[in-house]
Amino acid sequence: MLVMKFGGTSVGSAERMQDVLSIVNNAKSQSKSAPLVVLSAMSGVTNALIRAGEKAVSKDLKGALNEVVDLRKKHADAIEAGLGKDLTKAKQIADSLEPHFEELEIILKGVSYLGELSKRSVDAVSGMGELLSSKIVAGIFDVQGIPSVWLDAREVMLTDSTFGRANPISEEIKKRAKTKITKPSKEGKVVITQGFIGSNSDGVTTTLGRGGSDYSAAIFGAAVDADEIQIWTDVDGMMTSDPRLVPEAEVIAEVGFQEAAELAYFGAKVLHPLTIKPAIEQGIAVRILNTMRPNNPGTIIKADREVQSSDGDKRPICAIAAKKGITALFISSFKMLMAHGFLLKVFEIFDRYSTSIDLIATSEVSVSLTVDRTEELDSIIRDLKDLGEVKILTDVSIVSVVGRQFRDKSGIAGEVFSALNNVNIIMISGGASDINLSFVVSNEDADKSIKQLHKHFFPVTAKV
Ligand code: ADP
Ligand code: ASP
Ligand code: MG
């Protein structure tokens, strides 16, 4: 079975939804079982929902409810454009969305009244976009006579109760997927469901974190032992850099799981970092494709071994990415000098607050590190101060150069740093991985670094 995930832009209008239908229908005609279709919210909707929650909690209930007015209109327009020719169906779909809008208004009023927006409430609010978009797409499939079933993802995607970034419970998901997904798919019915959302064992809505629809697709893919997981988006594949920043970025035809994981983790937004994990564990290939150019081959992500044997050493650098808004911490202490156990104490503090460290560099008397999540930062800093002096730099960026077998090649680091001009490097972390060389710069220097590195490693050759 194929798992096909369509992102926000790919369901951003009735026209795009029609493209989704054509792509899915084409895939369906080439296989015995029908695909599982995992959908995001229409582009901009998750942001609007989160904004509504924030307005409600800051006593701007009017502003929050206005967001709902705009969302009603956006979805009504899509229904009108996509289903307007079948008035009965259009009304049926519009009626099926109404309870979600009403629930949303009730929650926002509650949030405003109590002046409290818990992570649980944020999930209840932000997860609605996928329910809305998927119902419209299912309506479009229906009127065009393509056999399909709409599935509430929460019936299958069981998670723990870590609201905001819930962890799926794979064993149970696998069991549930048999009846809810595999069975209808074998009967030739396209299963249309939502990314991003799940529910805990009490049936309360959870979300897998921003950009989490890719992760949903991978979890579902692993549960049904998919032949391939396809991530349909608004670019031609995984590229040598973010094409919004570097217009001359090129599509990478093949990447290994590890390279893709590093790139996704260190800023290539095109893929949610956790997507790779369930796919690697089960050896399922992931393909990234463009909804607006479905005939382009896209990027295939597969076992590192297979990629290496196919193009060997030809491509030392695969891509350059940046992760912005990072916090760097510098801990220095003379207690460290000639002593052991210092790093252990540092790591214990981060462990205590369930905060993972991204990059680390050490010297005899200091440790520099970066963290992405800052919820527990105040407590972490308080505890670190018992160990030594702590300096903090907020809002910095990690720039990562991802490639292959760096350790075996001489001069990659030299080449990277000499390609940079007028960039102040705050911290360097290289050598830990054979495929990633990362350094920290100010947010302002990040874009400049990427452009300079891209120009150096992927020079644009004049095409005749
Ligand atoms: P979707 O809504 O389909 O999930 P996203 O906005 O999450 O799409 O991801 C696609 C975007 O990722 C692209 O529009 C592009 O700007 C950005 N992006 C960042 N880095 C890369 C990269 N290395 N390759 C391709 N796209 C990238
Ligand atoms: N709609 C969610 C978000 O914007 C999930 C996703 O699209 O991947 O974060
Ligand atoms: Mg995305």
Side-chain angles (χ1 to χ4, degrees):
M1 186 199 306
L2 260 191
V3 173
M4 308 173 85
K5 177 259 167 175
F6 293 86
T9 321
S10 306
V11 291
S13 63
E15 196 188 343
R16 288 281 98 78
M17 290 176 179
Q18 184 60 44
D19 292 343
V20 169
L21 178 138
S22 312
I23 293 167
V24 172
N25 205 23
N26 186 36
K28 181 177 184 287
S29 67
Q30 291 173 27
S31 162
K32 266 190 267 156
S33 53
L36 167 67
V37 176
V38 179
L39 301 173
S40 284
M42 294 176 79
S43 53
V45 168
T46 312
N47 285 344
L49 289 164
I50 292 173
R51 230 175 16 242
E54 283 164 357
K55 285 183 179 169
V57 76
S58 53
K59 298 281 171 222
D60 179 13
L61 182 60
K62 193 160 171 274
L65 295 177
N66 272 339
E67 295 283 356
V68 187
V69 171
D70 292 348
L71 287 171
R72 269 204 176 87
K73 164 123 184 39
K74 185 178 178 94
H75 290 87
D77 287 350
I79 293 174
E80 159 84 36
L83 295 162
K85 288 197 192 100
D86 185 332
L87 286 180
T88 318
K89 192 74 196 171
K91 177 161 185 332
Q92 186 200 328
I93 297 298
D95 288 349
S96 76
L97 299 197
E98 196 43 36
H100 298 299
F101 290 122
E102 281 164 16
E103 188 186 336
L104 182 58
E105 285 167 340
I106 292 169
I107 298 175
L108 293 173
K109 284 177 189 162
V111 163
S112 167
Y113 189 74
L114 296 172
E116 188 183 82
L117 182 65
S118 63
K119 285 188 177 166
R120 177 177 165 148
S121 314
V122 173
D123 278 4
V125 168
S126 65
M128 286 203 187
E130 301 10 53
L131 292 164
L132 301 170
S133 64
S134 63
K135 284 191 169 171
I136 304 179
V137 172
I140 295 180
F141 272 66
D142 256 6
V143 289
Q144 296 187 36
I146 297 164
S148 67
V149 280
W150 180 86
L151 168 70
D152 186 331
R154 295 169 295 183
E155 290 175 23
V156 180
M157 185 64 77
L158 178 72
T159 71
D160 66 8
S161 299
T162 317
F163 294 102
R165 52 178 189 125
N167 301 294
I169 299 167
S170 311
E171 276 314 303
E172 184 59 30
I173 294 171
K174 201 169 181 171
K175 275 190 220 146
R176 296 180 182 189
K178 281 202 177 78
T179 45
K180 300 274 180 186
I181 300 172
T182 312
K183 189 169 171 283
S185 152
K186 280 193 176 146
E187 290 163 0
K189 292 182 197 138
V190 176
V191 181
I192 299 173
T193 195
Q194 309 82 41
F196 189 47
I197 54 170
S199 75
N200 70 8
S201 54
D202 295 328
V204 180
T205 302
T206 56
T207 70
L208 307 186
R210 292 309 306 268
S213 291
D214 299 342
Y215 188 30
S216 301
I219 297 288
F220 285 131
V224 301
D225 199 16
D227 299 316
E228 186 172 291
I229 297 160
Q230 298 184 342
I231 307 291
W232 290 86
T233 183
D234 58 2
V235 284
D236 280 336
M238 187 164 257
M239 306 181 79
T240 49
S241 203
D242 185 345
R244 283 186 210 184
L245 180 65
V246 183
E248 57 281 7
E250 296 162 27
V251 178
I252 313 165
E254 284 192 354
V255 275
F257 277 134
Q258 263 196 55
E259 288 169 315
E262 296 270 346
L263 277 173
Y265 188 73
F266 286 108
K269 189 191 170 209
V270 68
L271 199 66
H272 186 286
L274 285 173
T275 309
I276 305 293
K277 203 168 154 254
I280 301 185
E281 281 164 3
Q282 253 168 264
I284 304 171
V286 178
R287 199 184 286 275
I288 305 176
L289 294 147
N290 189 340
T291 310
M292 279 143 313
R293 291 198 277 199
N295 296 325
N296 281 10
T299 297
I300 178 123
I301 305 169
K302 50 186 187 184
D304 298 272
R305 213 174 342 98
E306 287 173 45
V307 177
Q308 277 171 24
S309 58
S310 65
D311 74 350
D313 264 353
K314 273 182 288 178
R315 195 167 47 84
I317 303 289
C318 165
I320 303 149
K323 197 172 175 183
K324 293 190 174 165
I326 295 292
T327 301
L329 298 174
F330 306 88
I331 310 140
S332 53
S333 165
F334 280 97
K335 283 187 215 155
M336 255 176 106
L337 198 63
M338 313 285 281
H340 65 86
F342 188 82
L343 273 180
L344 176 68
K345 288 187 191 126
V346 171
F347 288 144
E348 266 169 4
I349 293 173
F350 284 88
D351 185 48
R352 199 175 300 152
Y353 298 103
S354 308
T355 299
S356 58
I357 298 170
D358 285 341
L359 300 186
I360 183 155
T362 62
S363 77
E364 186 54 41
V365 290
S366 63
V367 183
S368 317
L369 44 85
T370 66
V371 290
D372 186 3
R373 295 186 51 234
T374 50
E375 287 97 327
E376 302 286 350
L377 201 59
D378 290 345
S379 313
I380 291 174
I381 292 168
R382 189 193 57 221
D383 291 6
L384 284 174
K385 281 189 174 157
D386 292 340
L387 301 181
E389 194 188 328
V390 185
K391 279 203 202 117
I392 306 133
L393 264 184
T394 51
D395 248 359
V396 292
S397 297
I398 299 176
V399 176
S400 297
V401 179
V402 173
R404 202 162 289 161
Q405 292 151 12
F406 282 175
R407 239 173 266 145
D408 298 344
K409 291 191 190 76
S410 57
I412 292 279
E415 210 179 324
V416 166
F417 294 114
S418 56
L420 296 172
N421 182 13
N422 210 7
V423 168
N424 178 29
I425 294 167
I426 299 168
M427 173 183 159
I428 299 174
S429 165
S433 135
D434 201 15
I435 62 169
N436 181 342
L437 178 73
S438 293
F439 57 93
V440 177
V441 293
S442 67
N443 270 351
E444 300 77 65
D445 276 354
D447 289 356
K448 191 161 59 172
S449 307
I450 290 193
K451 285 183 182 157
Q452 292 174 355
L453 289 170
H454 199 276
K455 200 165 173 188
H456 177 83
F457 286 107
F458 305 96
V460 183
T461 43
K463 291 191 179 96
V464 193

